[in-house]
Amino acid sequence: MTAPLPVPYDPELVAGLDAFVEMVEIIPLRVDTIHANRDYFATLIPSMVVQAAGRAITWEDRIIPGPVGAPAIEVTIVRPARPASVPAPAVLSIHGGGMVLGTRFFGTAELIDLAERHGVVGVAVEYRLAPEHPGPAQAEDCYAALEWMTAHAEELGIDPDRIIASGMSAGGGLSAAVALITRDRGGPRLAGQLLGCPMLDDRNETASSRQYDGFGAWDRNNNDTAWDAIAGEDRFTDRVSPYTAPARAADLSGLAPAFIEVGAAETFRDEAVDYAMRIWATGGQAELHVWAGGYHGFAGFSPDAEVSKAAIAARESWLRRILRLGG
């Protein structure tokens, strides 16, 4: 099958994309390079000591209970330097990396920013990675962190009615999985789910996945490598849990309001759009943004481009509405 022509990138984003691809393609992600990629990416993310230096926040690491029968979980808690006199909104931060790479410190820069500007309390979760831990171990760890946040809301100084799950890429997919789990189990009520360029579907069969095959940020080959590691022999079958690949969920009704953002020029475009449409079809709430010419994670790597500024503003607007943030 001839691959469809790709959607062109926004010209303002090309320099950032080139830098991103140069950084991540030093070791192409394949089944035999997952561990080498982990070691490499560990050198790229600053420690919390560096990230927090000079910022008006406090932070601490904790060990919390994992899912029943599973290991304990490491989390990092980020708070504003001056705690509010009333319970604060909170974010469960779930990092990206295809569920095979990365650490919780991929997402702590956002938590620091939210703590400083809006008094948000953040909890970044260190979930287990595939292939050592096939799905849905990752989602179960993240859900355990949500349960812990809610059970310790008073101690953490958070409002249990203003908690969202948030993440980019794999973190977006896992935020969707947490929303499904807590709905299905009658667990803590989420105020919202922020799904940034979310990784939702193990099948990798959309037009957009074929448009970005062999080039771009997180291309079709990277996606195949990750999903093979996550789902193993169950991949492409009905045995894949919706908590592993949320696109597999038969019912998307009754979910927390979703914010779904994706670039028009990336692998995950079509599955993100489909997920929003399926939420709407149940009468649910979803705010969908498909950014023209945007590559995977463009706003983080090309923040000064006009389309990135618009994307950041849209996300900020949703956070203000959902978490009832002040000025």
Side-chain angles (χ1 to χ4, degrees):
M1 179 185 296
T2 302
L5 291 174
V7 174
Y9 298 115
D10 183 311
E12 273 198 289
L13 299 177
V14 172
L17 171 62
D18 289 346
F20 182 17
V21 171
E22 182 179 356
M23 177 183 70
V24 301
E25 287 298 319
I26 287 177
I27 309 173
L29 183 64
R30 301 295 182 264
V31 64
D32 59 344
T33 66
I34 288 174
H35 288 90
N37 268 280
R38 283 184 198 168
D39 293 342
Y40 169 64
F41 275 88
T43 69
L44 300 179
I45 305 301
S47 69
M48 274 302 292
V49 172
V50 172
Q51 290 189 42
R55 306 296 295 270
I57 60 106
T58 64
W59 65 276
E60 63 172 306
D61 294 328
R62 291 255 195 114
I63 304 294
I64 68 171
V68 175
I73 300 167
E74 292 181 280
V75 299
T76 294
I77 305 162
V78 178
R79 297 182 177 95
R82 294 184 178 180
S85 58
V86 296
V91 173
L92 171 63
S93 172
I94 305 175
H95 72 80
M99 293 184 251
V100 297
L101 309 174
T103 75
R104 64 191 185 277
F105 303 116
F106 271 30
T108 43
E110 180 186 22
L111 295 184
I112 290 168
D113 179 64
L114 288 171
E116 278 193 327
R117 292 192 300 114
H118 296 303
V120 172
V121 174
V123 175
V125 56
E126 195 71 57
Y127 58 82
R128 289 170 288 172
L129 299 176
E132 296 90 335
H133 305 283
Q138 298 75 32
E140 294 289 356
D141 286 351
C142 296
Y143 178 67
L146 174 64
E147 287 193 308
W148 179 82
M149 287 175 70
T150 305
H152 293 77
E154 184 174 357
E155 173 199 348
L156 295 170
I158 64 178
D159 180 350
D161 292 325
R162 288 194 292 163
I163 300 174
I164 67 166
S166 174
M168 302 293 289
S169 195
L174 288 169
S175 295
V178 167
L180 288 167
I181 294 173
T182 200
R183 177 203 65 180
D184 293 347
R185 297 180 186 172
R189 178 185 173 276
L190 282 173
Q193 49 178 322
L194 195 162
L195 315 183
C197 46
M199 180 180 179
L200 297 165
D201 196 338
D202 66 288
R203 290 162 289 198
N204 205 22
E205 294 173 344
T206 62
S208 60
S209 74
R210 297 186 185 282
Q211 286 176 301
Y212 300 93
D213 186 344
F215 66 97
W218 196 261
D219 76 337
R220 180 180 176 81
N221 298 298
N222 291 342
N223 207 34
D224 268 330
T225 297
W227 279 117
D228 284 345
I230 298 159
E233 293 182 357
D234 288 346
R235 192 179 174 204
F236 302 111
T237 75
D238 291 339
R239 296 190 300 274
V240 175
S241 167
Y243 305 154
T244 298
R248 295 285 192 159
D251 178 12
L252 296 184
S253 65
L255 294 172
F259 179 89
I260 303 173
E261 60 178 355
V262 70
E266 70 153 296
T267 300
F268 294 146
R269 181 196 67 221
D270 292 352
E271 61 198 69
V273 171
D274 182 69
Y275 204 73
M277 291 177 66
R278 290 178 58 209
I279 290 173
W280 291 327
T282 72
Q285 295 185 48
E287 180 171 324
L288 172 67
H289 296 270
V290 183
W291 296 104
Y295 63 86
H296 186 65
F298 68 92
F301 288 87
S302 304
D304 295 328
E306 281 300 317
V307 68
S308 300
K309 293 176 183 177
I312 293 166
R315 191 184 313 150
E316 174 83 3
S317 170
W318 183 82
L319 286 167
R320 286 180 180 276
R321 286 175 277 135
I322 291 295
L323 291 178
R324 305 193 300 278
L325 301 176

